[in-house]
Amino acid sequence: MTRLAQTIGLTEIQTEIVSAVRHFVDTEIIPSAHELERADAYPTEIVAAMREMGLFGLMIPEQYGGLGESLLTYALCVEELARGWMSVSGVINTHFIVAYMLCRHGTEEQKQRLLPGMSTGEIRGAFSMSEPELGSDVAAIRTRGVRDAEDGYRISGQKMWLTNGATSTLVAALVKTDEGAERRHHNLTAFLIEKPSGFGEVKPGLSIPKKLDKLGYRGIDTTEMIFDDYVASAQDVLGAAPGKGFFQMMDGVEVGRVNVAARACGVGIRAFELAVRYAQQRETFGRPISSHQAVAFQLAEMATKVEAAHLMMVNAARLKDSGERNDVAAGMAKYLASEFCAEVTQQSFRIHGGYGYSKEFEIERLMRDAPFLLIGEGTSEIQKSIISKSLLAEYSL
C-alpha cells in the first residue's frame, strides 16, 4: 500500500504542481507555522511565496493571466497547504470563490478588469454572505441596497465572519435589493466591492472593524464589514444581473465546500502523521505504544477515515470539473471530511496523551483548528439537509 491520500489519474502537470506545493509546505510552512499561529501573525512571507508560485491564479483561465487548472488541482493544493497550516489555505479559499464566480457569472468587462490582478494576487478576493443574526437562512439577509437616481445603489447593513476582510481588495457581497420578486431568493444581488486593504473606514460608507479573536484559524484576519449609505454603481453588480445573487453565490459555495473538504483532509492527514510518528517513538511497558493493539487499532481507524474523506473530496472536485451539478457530492464530501477530521484529530490527541495538551506540540493547534471545519461553508446539519432533500426527490415514491 502507498502512503495515504494518493490520487490516481493525475496529469504530469498536476503531479508537478501538487509535488511543488507539498515541498513548499514541508520546508516553509510547517517550520514557521507554530510561532506565527502563537502570535496570531499574518503569514506575509508565506503569502508572498505563494504569489511567486502562481497559486493565486491556479484556476483562473490563461487568457486572464492564470494557470487555467482544474478544481481538482486546486483542491489537492489546498489539502497540502492545510496539512501545513490551515490558516494558509484560508488565504486563497475566498479568493478563489470570488475568482470562480467572476469566471462563471461576470461580464467580460468585469473579467478583463479584475481577473488579471487576481491571478497575480495583486487583487485579493473575499466572500461575504453571513450577517450577525443570519445563520444559515441566507434569504433572510438584512443588508439592503436601494436604487438611487444615478442608477446605482446605496447600501446599508452589517456583514459578519468575513475571512480576509482586511487584507482583501475585492469583496463579493450578497445584498438584499428590491427586484419585485415574490420569492425572497430572487431579491438578492451580488455586488463586487472594490476597496483598499486595512482596517477602519476604508472607503466612504464602508468600514472594516478590528480583527475578531478566535479559538483557532489564527493568523488570518476574520472581520465584520459595515455599510453605511455606501454608494455602489450598477457596474458593480456581478454579471450586471440584479436579483441573481443567491444563485451566483450558491454556485461559488459549491466550490467553497470542496475547499473545506480539502482543508479537512489536510488537517486530518497531518493529525495522522503526528500520531503515527509519536506512537512509534513513545514507549510504555518497554515497547513503543504502536505495538499495543489499542493504539494500533486507532491508527487503522484514523487512516481509513483519512482515505475515505480524500476519495469523496476528489470525487466532488472531479464532478464539478466535468460540468455536472455537484451540490450533493460537495455536501457529502464537506460533511464527511469535516466530521472525520474532528474525530481523527481527537484520536491523535489521545495518542499523544498529556503531551497533546501542551502548546509545544503541534496537535494542540490542530485541535483548535478542526472545529472550524464543522461550521465553515455550512454546518454539518445544513449539508444533511441538502443531501436528504436530493435523496428524497431522487427516490420519491
Side-chain angles (χ1 to χ4, degrees):
M1 179 180 174
T2 60
R3 287 180 176 267
L4 294 177
Q6 300 297 302
T7 309
I8 63 171
L10 297 181
T11 66
E12 185 176 341
I13 293 176
Q14 286 176 313
T15 301
E16 289 177 359
I17 292 173
V18 175
S19 296
V21 174
R22 182 180 301 121
H23 177 74
F24 174 65
V25 167
D26 289 336
T27 58
E28 302 295 331
I29 296 180
I30 290 177
S32 56
H34 183 76
E35 292 303 322
L36 288 169
E37 201 272 347
R38 177 180 287 183
D40 197 12
Y42 188 78
T44 303
E45 294 183 4
I46 290 173
V47 172
M50 289 164 61
R51 285 186 62 179
E52 290 293 320
M53 295 173 69
L55 293 183
F56 282 91
L58 196 60
M59 275 182 65
I60 295 174
E62 293 181 15
Q63 69 190 91
Y64 302 110
L67 297 179
E69 272 297 325
S70 64
L71 177 59
L72 175 61
T73 308
Y74 165 66
L76 295 176
C77 289
V78 166
E79 182 180 59
E80 293 294 340
L81 292 171
R83 185 178 69 87
W85 183 18
M86 192 183 75
S87 294
V88 173
S89 65
V91 172
I92 61 173
N93 175 34
T94 56
H95 178 83
F96 266 106
I97 293 178
V98 178
Y100 172 82
M101 290 169 59
L102 267 167
C103 291
R104 285 290 302 270
H105 306 289
T107 65
E108 187 57 34
E109 185 278 330
Q110 290 170 340
K111 295 176 186 178
Q112 293 284 353
R113 177 164 50 89
L114 298 170
L115 287 177
M118 295 190 77
S119 69
T120 64
E122 181 181 356
I123 297 175
R124 305 277 184 84
F127 178 82
S128 179
M129 286 199 305
S130 295
E131 296 183 359
E133 300 178 6
L134 182 61
S136 299
D137 185 6
V138 178
I141 278 176
R142 295 183 178 182
T143 299
R144 180 179 291 275
V146 179
R147 292 181 187 268
D148 64 19
E150 302 298 324
D151 197 32
Y153 295 82
R154 290 190 175 271
I155 304 175
S156 293
Q158 183 179 7
K159 309 300 283 187
M160 192 70 175
W161 306 120
L162 187 62
T163 303
N164 297 312
T167 51
S168 63
T169 55
L170 174 66
V171 181
L174 192 60
V175 174
K176 185 176 182 179
T177 54
D178 185 11
E179 307 306 325
E182 293 183 6
R183 298 179 64 183
R184 296 185 302 165
H185 299 80
H186 295 265
N187 286 313
L188 299 175
T189 299
F191 285 88
L192 298 171
I193 308 296
E194 296 180 69
K195 68 175 187 65
S197 60
F199 293 97
E201 188 174 23
V202 292
K203 289 181 73 175
L206 181 65
S207 298
I208 305 293
K210 66 180 182 179
K211 182 167 66 173
L212 300 172
D213 196 15
K214 308 184 295 292
L215 169 71
Y217 200 28
R218 295 166 64 81
I220 189 171
D221 51 285
T222 304
T223 72
E224 299 172 81
M225 182 169 66
I226 299 174
F227 294 97
D228 184 10
D229 211 25
Y230 173 80
V231 178
S233 71
Q235 286 70 39
D236 294 331
V237 174
L238 178 61
K244 302 295 183 183
F246 177 81
F247 308 99
Q248 294 166 340
M249 286 279 188
M250 290 301 105
D251 190 20
V253 164
E254 287 183 15
V255 173
R257 285 174 179 156
V258 173
N259 172 285
V260 172
R263 282 198 268 178
C265 289
V267 173
I269 290 167
R270 187 59 180 165
F272 172 80
E273 289 174 346
L274 295 173
V276 76
R277 183 174 66 190
Y278 182 81
Q280 295 174 82
Q281 295 172 335
R282 172 70 164 152
E283 292 188 358
T284 60
F285 305 103
R287 54 182 177 149
I289 62 173
S290 60
S291 66
H292 299 300
Q293 193 176 71
V295 174
F297 279 14
Q298 282 199 70
L299 293 173
E301 291 174 5
M302 294 164 70
T304 302
K305 290 173 181 176
V306 165
E307 190 71 10
H310 174 81
L311 290 172
M312 289 200 72
M313 179 272 291
V314 168
N315 177 66
R318 281 182 162 150
L319 193 62
K320 189 75 169 177
D321 283 332
S322 73
E324 295 292 328
R325 185 175 180 180
N326 85 328
D327 55 336
V328 173
M332 285 181 169
K334 191 274 174 186
Y335 163 59
L336 187 85
S338 62
E339 293 286 349
F340 276 1
C341 173
E343 294 171 14
V344 167
T345 303
Q346 186 171 93
Q347 286 178 291
S348 181
F349 169 77
R350 292 185 178 191
I351 287 172
H352 279 79
Y355 288 104
Y357 211 61
S358 168
K359 284 185 175 290
E360 297 302 315
F361 278 67
E362 192 176 339
I363 186 60
E364 182 270 343
R365 166 166 57 85
L366 302 187
M367 281 290 292
R368 289 184 288 104
D369 281 347
F372 167 78
L373 299 166
L374 296 170
I375 56 175
E377 307 297 0
T379 63
S380 292
E381 288 69 30
I382 287 295
Q383 310 311 319
K384 291 177 187 177
S385 177
I386 293 169
I387 295 164
S388 61
K389 286 179 181 177
S390 178
L391 290 174
L392 290 169
E394 186 69 24
Y395 289 87
S396 173
L397 298 177

